[in-house]
Amino acid sequence: MATMKDIAKLAGVSTSTVSHVINKSRFVSEEISERVNKAATELNYTPSALARSLKVNRTKTIGMLVTTSTNPFFGEVVKGVERSCYQQGYNLILCNTEGDNARMRESINTLLQKRVDGLILMCSSLEGERIDVFEKYSDIPVVVMDWGPMLFTSDKIQDNSLRGGYIAAKHLIDVGHKSIGCITGPLIKHQAQMRYEGYKRALNEAELDFNPNWIVESDFECEGGYEAFNQMFAKGELPSAIFVSNDMMAMGVINAAHEKGIRIPEDLSIIGYDDIQISKFMTPALTTIHQPKYRLGKAAVEALLQRLNNSYLDPQVVQLEPSLVERQSVSAPKQSS
């Protein structure tokens, strides 16, 4: 493999001149630059990314950790991160934690040892926990996505889940529903709690009653939505509408309702949350709350690069706003409840 020394010998210049031409670190005359570049081409010279990273203390690589899930939401966010990294000239190393705290900590250690320039974390299983390794690598910028309170310094990108839950329940109220249930995510998770709080705020504003039989906590997965609906069904009379706290659970709810001969939206209106790509292809197409997933990923990369360029910035929170997407799974109730 050719080196700068080989290029210098062929071009008849010093090694430092070759370095300045290749790294564009200082002005070199056009004539000498042309000789150096010609020699480099003849020798099939390829710059060493490792050597350059050691010199500038940057590897142009970002590490991202995400909880493995069947939910396409994560994949759509990762797509925004990956594309933004590519546009900015960065590589992305993606690690799945599978919801395992030990595996998450090992992955963080591995990425830091590989000298990534920064970390993007999308693993709510460590919400509120202290991660000691960040104290050892305190100069590595960290951006977290959609977490609750954190015990380490980082920038944060989040969806306004409180407003999203409010918009969902308010839409059901506006089309005439008075008996409205809610299938929540795990309420120990910040996003799930905030969506539930938004639902409660809308019902309180409308002075509607809460029926405990119509509120079921679940797990953000299809199977969880399916089981949650069956639990609600087993307790007796159903509401006329249900806010389901993500689209994956909504898919499970629609499946369970279909098995029982309950028509959506004629007998029961359903609104989801996330607006994952497949929500428009459900039967019926799902009315849902849109989360700007691509922009979440893009904002995370932008915040990380901003932190790399200015480490003295105060930690920032970038909040992206949800919006309603009306499709076919919500209609006015057959009669007032």
Side-chain angles (χ1 to χ4, degrees):
M1 182 180 293
T3 66
M4 287 191 183
K5 196 171 183 179
D6 298 325
I7 297 172
K9 185 176 180 180
L10 182 60
V13 297
S14 67
T15 304
S16 61
T17 299
V18 173
S19 176
H20 291 315
V21 171
I22 291 174
N23 294 315
K24 297 182 172 60
S25 54
R26 200 174 73 185
F27 173 77
V28 178
S29 70
E30 186 176 340
E31 186 267 330
I32 292 177
S33 295
E34 187 176 335
R35 278 163 47 197
V36 169
N37 288 325
K38 182 179 178 182
T41 301
E42 289 180 14
L43 293 171
N44 293 318
Y45 173 76
T46 302
S48 168
L50 176 60
R52 182 173 295 178
S53 71
L54 290 171
K55 183 173 182 178
V56 301
N57 202 29
R58 291 279 179 90
T59 61
K60 302 287 283 186
T61 301
I62 290 172
M64 181 175 186
L65 282 85
V66 62
T67 300
T68 300
S69 170
T70 56
N71 191 344
F73 168 81
F74 292 100
E76 293 179 30
V77 174
V78 170
K79 182 178 180 180
V81 172
E82 191 280 330
R83 185 171 296 175
S84 296
C85 284
Y86 173 76
Q87 291 171 345
Q88 297 289 343
Y90 275 74
N91 296 307
L92 178 68
I93 300 177
L94 181 65
C95 296
N96 291 325
T97 69
E98 298 187 358
D100 186 303
N101 286 13
R103 181 167 175 176
M104 171 125 184
R105 293 171 187 276
E106 289 174 7
S107 296
I108 291 173
N109 270 308
T110 298
L111 289 171
L112 293 175
Q113 289 167 13
K114 288 183 177 295
R115 301 181 69 253
V116 294
D117 293 338
L119 287 173
I120 297 174
L121 306 181
M122 198 176 184
C123 304
S124 57
S125 59
L126 286 187
E127 184 175 305
E129 289 198 22
R130 183 176 302 281
I131 304 179
D132 295 336
V133 71
F134 289 147
E135 297 176 9
K136 179 180 177 182
Y137 292 90
S138 58
D139 58 329
I140 299 293
V142 179
V143 172
V144 299
M145 303 175 72
D146 254 358
W147 281 17
M150 295 160 295
L151 299 180
F152 53 91
T153 302
S154 72
D155 296 314
K156 184 174 181 181
I157 313 297
Q158 65 183 17
D159 164 58
N160 189 343
S161 290
L162 177 67
R163 176 155 179 76
Y166 175 85
I167 292 171
K170 182 71 162 55
H171 176 64
L172 296 174
I173 294 167
D174 288 345
V175 299
H177 293 280
K178 298 183 184 301
S179 57
I180 302 171
C182 182
I183 295 177
T184 77
L187 293 176
I188 61 170
K189 293 190 176 182
H190 181 72
Q191 309 100 302
Q193 182 66 48
M194 289 300 99
R195 292 173 196 181
Y196 180 47
E197 292 298 327
Y199 156 83
K200 291 193 293 184
R201 178 178 293 183
L203 266 63
N204 281 328
E205 277 187 8
E207 299 182 339
L208 298 178
D209 293 331
F210 293 87
N211 185 331
N213 291 337
W214 295 342
I215 299 172
V216 182
E217 183 177 356
S218 192
D219 63 359
F220 280 148
E221 301 291 345
C222 279
E223 187 68 28
Y226 179 90
E227 293 175 356
F229 179 80
N230 286 334
Q231 289 177 38
M232 191 183 296
F233 182 83
K235 292 176 181 178
E237 181 185 4
L238 289 171
S240 64
I242 302 175
F243 165 43
V244 187
S245 294
N246 81 341
D247 292 349
M248 292 294 282
M249 290 194 299
M251 192 183 306
V253 169
I254 290 172
N255 184 258
H258 175 74
E259 287 181 357
K260 292 174 169 52
I262 298 169
R263 300 168 300 166
I264 310 294
E266 293 85 355
D267 303 323
L268 176 68
S269 288
I270 299 292
I271 185 169
Y273 200 110
D274 281 342
D275 192 26
I276 58 177
Q277 189 174 11
I278 61 174
S279 61
K280 68 179 71 172
F281 301 109
M282 295 180 194
T283 303
L286 184 66
T287 295
T288 187
I289 301 300
H290 174 75
Q291 257 203 103
K293 297 167 289 299
Y294 180 84
R295 286 199 291 123
L296 278 170
K298 185 173 185 290
V301 174
E302 289 174 348
L304 197 60
L305 297 185
Q306 187 177 24
R307 175 69 55 189
L308 279 168
N309 292 328
N310 186 354
S311 60
Y312 298 105
L313 288 173
D314 291 331
Q316 60 175 322
V317 176
V318 178
Q319 184 160 273
L320 303 179
E321 296 299 322
S323 58
L324 175 68
V325 178
E326 295 186 59
R327 296 194 180 104
Q328 284 78 53
S329 65
V330 171
S331 66
K334 288 188 293 187
Q335 59 184 22
S336 299
S337 301

